[in-house]
Amino acid sequence: MKKKEIDEKVKTAFEDATPDNIERIKADAAKTEQAGVPIAAKPVKKNRLWRRIALGAACVALLICGGLGIYGYNMTYATASEVFFDVNPSMTMTVNGKGKVLNVTANNADAERVIAGLDFSGSSYEVAVNAIIGSMLRTGYLSQISNSVLVSVNDKNENRSKTVELNILAEIERVFTVESFDGAVISQTVAADAELTALAKEYGITIGKANLINRIIEASESAAAEGTAATAYTFKDLVGLTINELNVLAESLSVDVSGVSCVGTASKQGYIGKDEAREKALIYAEVELEHVNGSTVRAEFDFEDGVMVYELSFASDEFEYEVEINATSGEFVSIKKELKKAGTVGEAITEAEIKEAALAEAGLDVSAEIADYRAEYDADDFEYEVKFVADGFEYEFEIRADGKILSYEKKVRLELNKGESGLGALAAEYIKKIVMAEAKIIASIKGIDFDETQIFEYECELEREDGVLAYEVEFRFLDFEFEFRVNAKSGIIVKASIDRD
Amino acid sequence: MLFLSLATEPVDKNELDGYISEIAQGKPEGLDKLYGKTKSAVFGLSLSILKNFHDAEDVLHDCYISVYVNAPAYVSEKKPLAWILTIARNLCYKKLQTRKRTDYLDSEEAERFFAEHALPAGEIAEDRFFIEECVNNLGDEERDVLILHAVAGMKFREISAFLGVPLPTVLSRYNRTVKKLRIKYGSTEL
């Protein structure tokens, strides 16, 4: 059963239970007085009126003289609009009130390559845009495989902001036409509020990209809640993606975004295509198309550990499936299979038998070499959560205590690449040790009496972010949530936080 | 191409704001419409805090009277539902000060309450299952998130702001809660 269905049932239950008392409420409201509306300002006192007038006139005169001077200065030297370009190269262009470029700064090394040798001083922003997009095409950052540009305009003057956005859009389209390039432009106006500015600073991206990511997160949240996508993304997940990849995701999520418009479609030439992905998914799931309900396999873009994947979902009479396939190579990434209806409960079996059931489901021999085997029994739910690692895959099961497999998950293990890690096999233990030492220190700073033996829900996952491998460690202690990120190569703790839940 | 649609704020926020301003102008039909759209959210939240049908019904009544009284002073920040639910929550807390805290819904009371509803027995059983699971077996934090999302229709981001809890926490609570309910529902014969 999907999350959406549970939501619906809960909603119906409460709707059915809610009494309809509106008539009584209206009757009682009619007897009640509403709160007063704010009263208009007090009338001005009559005395000394002439002094007020004289003073006012003087102020107005001063404002006009001074204002004109400032106005002239502002038009020429002050930044009126900020325009952010993101492809993978990322740059910021400042434009004055007369539409002339003040400055173009590169935000990453790719952008430096794009603007190397270009001189924008004094030119109009349209000319600068033409030069920048032309250079991105020449340097290959915009290509048939990755064809999406994000343009974001930040200007307090809303009208001007929209005009600048539209003019830039028109200019980029002109370049694309001249170069016969099938590109996609996402454009938006953004306001540099505190949240976006902080995010942009933390991750070293433009506020434009930060805004786009936020919009996609919002869409993924609603998609996740409706059960049309597996998980909602986090900012951290998406920040390493290129604009083309974000655009592919956004299209896939059917993003309905206010203030963002897109011309053209994101290039998917770098990917194997949905049809091939569907075929592969059925093979990996060992299900014949004729047994798939309605013979339909939904295919959407998603991404997993920084890799773009196709997420295929389908159902048979008995199970619901979700298969992820590497969108570029077609390789297997993960499979999840859930029993639709568990049926009547039988007698509990032994833990050893539970293990056998798990191995059998995974298609492994009893004597197969497995590691990190963990079976946790939850008496409330009358079920085991079983996890282990074998043959480079991570397996996870929910098995009812009578041996019925409720869900099965198999996932390619993101392994330490030998060249990248100096930590080796003892990594998990070593990581835990340094994290605990650090936790103790920061806990004591916060006045928390930390006891390592009392922590729970400890999780340590290897993740790749911006091309860097790091361990994400999370655990709880009392009602605190600890989070650490440890560079997998150096063992240095790069991020630590304590949150009270 | 899906980016093309330049949708603005979801309709219902503006719609609710519209009803509140009708109420502010003393139009009773505004109260009718607002009540219709939001009553189950108010009742759900109240029931989950108070764990008593009749107290929740009282809060439901008082909440809309309070909305009526304060509508002229309402300043739209595009969060009408959060405004109404804050009123409801405060009324619940006030109520809790005057009576003993209960931890469970009284099942006899639930029976009587549902007996007043003309629904098929199968639906009542399912409704009761979900309400009693939510109120009795979920933690406060889990239940709040579920009700705000499923019943009130708030987005996770809005829930995070309403509860003052970080977004990832809201999401993990929600996922955990739905999973629990799914398992329980799957293994219960109704």
Side-chain angles (χ1 to χ4, degrees):
Chain A
M1 179 179 293
K2 299 219 158 122
K3 286 176 183 168
K4 176 93 179 159
E5 291 173 56
I6 295 280
D7 275 357
E8 278 300 322
K9 286 187 187 292
V10 170
K11 187 176 180 202
T12 312
F14 280 95
E15 275 174 356
D16 286 348
T18 306
D20 191 4
N21 293 345
I22 184 65
E23 292 311 321
R24 207 182 106 211
I25 291 170
K26 277 198 294 187
D28 289 349
K31 288 181 243 160
T32 323
E33 210 168 300
Q34 286 190 316
V37 186
I39 303 158
K42 288 179 193 166
V44 181
K45 283 180 190 169
K46 274 182 190 158
N47 56 354
R48 297 189 188 173
L49 186 61
W50 62 271
R51 281 182 66 180
R52 284 167 182 275
I53 294 168
L55 197 64
C59 288
V60 171
L62 204 65
L63 270 177
I64 293 171
C65 303
L68 276 180
I70 294 166
Y71 179 72
Y73 174 84
N74 273 345
M75 285 298 280
T76 313
Y77 299 108
T79 299
S81 323
E82 247 183 331
V83 185
F84 307 99
F85 296 92
D86 288 277
V87 173
N88 198 41
S90 161
M91 57 200 85
T92 307
M93 175 168 87
T94 50
V95 179
N96 72 9
K98 292 173 179 168
K100 298 280 186 236
V101 174
L102 292 171
N103 201 1
V104 177
T105 40
N107 302 323
N108 57 16
D110 286 346
E112 275 168 22
R113 249 163 267 148
V114 171
I115 58 173
L118 297 176
D119 182 15
F120 302 101
S121 56
S123 59
S124 74
Y125 65 84
E126 288 96 337
V127 171
V129 167
N130 189 307
I132 289 171
I133 300 298
S135 172
M136 286 209 219
L137 284 166
R138 277 193 303 280
T139 46
Y141 287 110
L142 275 173
S143 67
Q144 290 306 341
I145 288 173
S146 175
N147 71 343
S148 308
V149 190
L150 171 67
V151 176
S152 323
V153 181
N154 173 26
D155 188 328
K156 286 197 185 81
N157 180 329
E158 271 179 42
N159 289 336
R160 188 169 55 200
S161 188
K162 203 71 215 167
T163 315
V164 171
E165 184 189 330
L166 289 175
N167 287 344
I168 290 180
L169 202 60
E171 188 58 43
I172 295 180
E173 285 192 311
R174 197 169 308 143
V175 180
F176 283 175
T177 317
V178 170
E179 305 276 338
S180 315
F181 180 72
D182 184 15
V185 191
I186 307 167
S187 63
Q188 57 179 357
T189 52
V190 290
D193 62 17
E195 189 201 348
L196 283 183
T197 313
L199 281 170
K201 203 171 164 195
E202 184 181 350
Y203 292 102
I205 56 173
T206 66
I207 61 167
K209 189 171 175 186
N211 187 54
L212 180 69
I213 292 175
N214 268 346
R215 298 308 177 105
I216 294 175
I217 291 172
E218 279 169 23
S220 77
E221 277 165 13
S222 30
E226 283 162 18
T228 52
T231 41
Y233 303 126
T234 65
F235 202 89
K236 225 168 57 183
D237 289 337
L238 298 183
V239 74
L241 297 187
T242 66
I243 298 302
N244 196 63
E245 288 167 327
L246 289 173
N247 199 1
V248 168
L249 275 184
E251 284 177 6
S252 167
L253 282 165
S254 309
V255 176
D256 207 18
V257 189
S258 61
V260 178
S261 58
C262 181
V263 180
T265 36
S267 167
K268 295 172 199 79
Q269 286 190 18
Y271 307 124
I272 59 167
K274 288 187 177 179
D275 290 336
E276 195 181 331
R278 281 193 186 96
E279 275 172 35
K280 285 199 146 84
L282 293 175
I283 296 171
Y284 291 136
E286 296 172 10
V287 177
E288 302 281 335
L289 186 61
E290 62 203 71
H291 296 132
V292 172
N293 289 353
S295 297
T296 39
V297 177
R298 260 173 59 95
E300 297 293 347
F301 275 101
D302 196 348
F303 82 104
E304 192 64 34
D305 297 329
V307 180
M308 290 298 288
V309 297
Y310 283 103
E311 186 187 284
L312 298 306
S313 41
F314 49 97
S316 67
D317 286 341
E318 223 182 329
F319 300 102
E320 278 175 5
Y321 295 89
E322 228 172 77
V323 181
E324 287 178 327
I325 290 175
N326 184 314
T328 322
S329 68
E331 283 166 6
F332 173 84
V333 174
S334 78
I335 183 167
K336 198 170 163 187
K337 182 173 149 190
E338 265 183 64
L339 194 62
K340 282 169 145 178
K341 191 85 185 171
T344 43
V345 184
E347 286 286 305
I349 58 173
T350 66
E351 267 194 54
E353 286 167 331
I354 290 283
K355 185 173 177 179
E356 275 174 31
L359 287 171
E361 178 68 30
L364 295 168
D365 200 66
V366 194
S367 58
E369 214 171 287
I370 62 169
D372 297 344
Y373 182 84
R374 224 170 68 189
E376 277 173 21
Y377 179 57
D378 185 336
D380 286 346
D381 295 337
F382 190 60
E383 77 179 50
Y384 287 89
E385 195 178 279
V386 178
K387 286 182 184 177
F388 61 83
V389 176
D391 272 350
F393 295 104
E394 283 173 22
Y395 294 89
E396 212 175 309
F397 305 80
E398 285 169 344
I399 307 179
R400 204 166 62 186
D402 62 358
K404 188 92 179 166
I405 311 256
L406 303 174
S407 76
Y408 163 70
E409 211 176 329
K410 178 182 176 184
K411 197 173 159 184
V412 170
R413 195 172 191 215
L414 189 62
E415 267 189 300
L416 275 182
N417 191 326
K418 276 181 192 137
E420 283 176 301
S421 165
L423 295 175
L426 290 171
E429 261 173 60
Y430 176 75
I431 294 293
K432 188 164 181 179
K433 212 163 126 188
I434 54 175
V435 163
M436 286 305 141
E438 181 75 11
K440 210 167 178 172
I441 296 168
I442 52 176
S444 77
I445 294 169
K446 297 225 169 193
I448 305 165
D449 197 8
F450 185 72
D451 178 357
E452 192 185 323
T453 60
Q454 297 297 313
I455 65 159
F456 58 104
E457 291 182 16
Y458 181 89
E459 273 178 28
C460 175
E461 277 177 10
L462 189 59
E463 281 178 12
R464 190 185 295 274
E465 199 177 294
D466 294 341
V468 180
L469 269 179
Y471 288 94
E472 300 283 340
V473 182
E474 279 177 29
F475 60 89
R476 288 160 175 276
F477 172 70
L478 300 176
D479 56 346
F480 298 99
E481 211 174 71
F482 286 71
E483 271 182 45
F484 292 89
R485 186 186 306 150
V486 188
N487 182 304
K489 194 174 176 186
S490 63
I492 291 170
I493 295 181
V494 287
K495 200 180 146 192
S497 74
I498 304 183
D499 259 340
R500 192 159 209 156
D501 203 2
Chain B
M1 286 309 283
L2 290 151
F3 262 116
L4 254 181
S5 47
L6 293 162
T8 45
E9 287 288 323
V11 207
D12 42 330
K13 275 182 203 161
N14 294 328
E15 195 183 330
L16 296 184
D17 269 350
Y19 299 154
I20 297 175
S21 76
E22 279 181 33
I23 299 170
Q25 292 156 24
K27 293 183 190 160
E29 56 276 20
L31 198 56
D32 255 329
K33 288 180 257 180
L34 187 74
Y35 183 77
K37 289 270 174 199
T38 56
K39 64 175 179 187
S40 46
V42 171
F43 187 73
L45 184 73
S46 311
L47 186 63
S48 72
I49 297 175
L50 298 166
K51 301 178 180 28
N52 176 296
F53 281 103
H54 291 106
D55 285 350
E57 203 172 340
D58 284 350
V59 166
L60 182 68
H61 171 270
D62 295 351
C63 175
Y64 287 93
I65 296 292
S66 183
V67 165
Y68 174 80
V69 170
N70 292 302
Y74 170 75
V75 181
S76 170
E77 286 174 10
K78 301 277 175 226
K79 293 173 190 159
L81 195 57
W83 180 65
I84 299 168
L85 292 178
T86 306
I87 294 176
R89 188 166 56 178
N90 290 341
L91 288 168
C92 287
Y93 291 154
K94 229 187 230 171
K95 194 123 209 155
L96 284 178
Q97 288 169 359
T98 62
R99 72 157 172 80
K100 231 180 95 215
R101 240 190 150 93
T102 43
D103 286 335
Y104 294 100
L105 268 181
D106 186 67
S107 79
E108 278 176 26
E109 195 203 331
E111 198 140 327
R112 272 200 304 279
F113 193 84
F114 274 101
E116 294 166 13
H117 291 60
L119 281 173
E123 281 176 34
I124 290 190
E126 190 160 293
D127 285 354
R128 274 193 63 182
F129 168 82
F130 279 105
I131 289 186
E132 290 179 29
E133 273 306 312
C134 284
V135 178
N136 295 341
N137 296 339
L138 294 179
D140 289 345
E141 294 171 339
E142 297 173 334
R143 185 186 46 239
D144 284 352
V145 170
L146 181 70
I147 290 191
L148 291 174
H149 184 72
V151 185
M154 280 169 105
K155 289 187 176 163
F156 293 114
R157 197 164 281 272
E158 294 167 334
I159 297 174
S160 150
F162 184 71
L163 296 176
V165 173
L167 184 61
T169 316
V170 170
L171 286 169
S172 76
R173 278 182 196 167
Y174 172 76
N175 288 327
R176 198 166 58 214
T177 311
V178 170
K179 191 177 156 198
K180 269 192 192 174
L181 281 180
R182 181 159 48 193
I183 290 165
K184 198 81 179 257
Y185 181 68
S187 62
T188 308
E189 297 290 334
L190 287 175

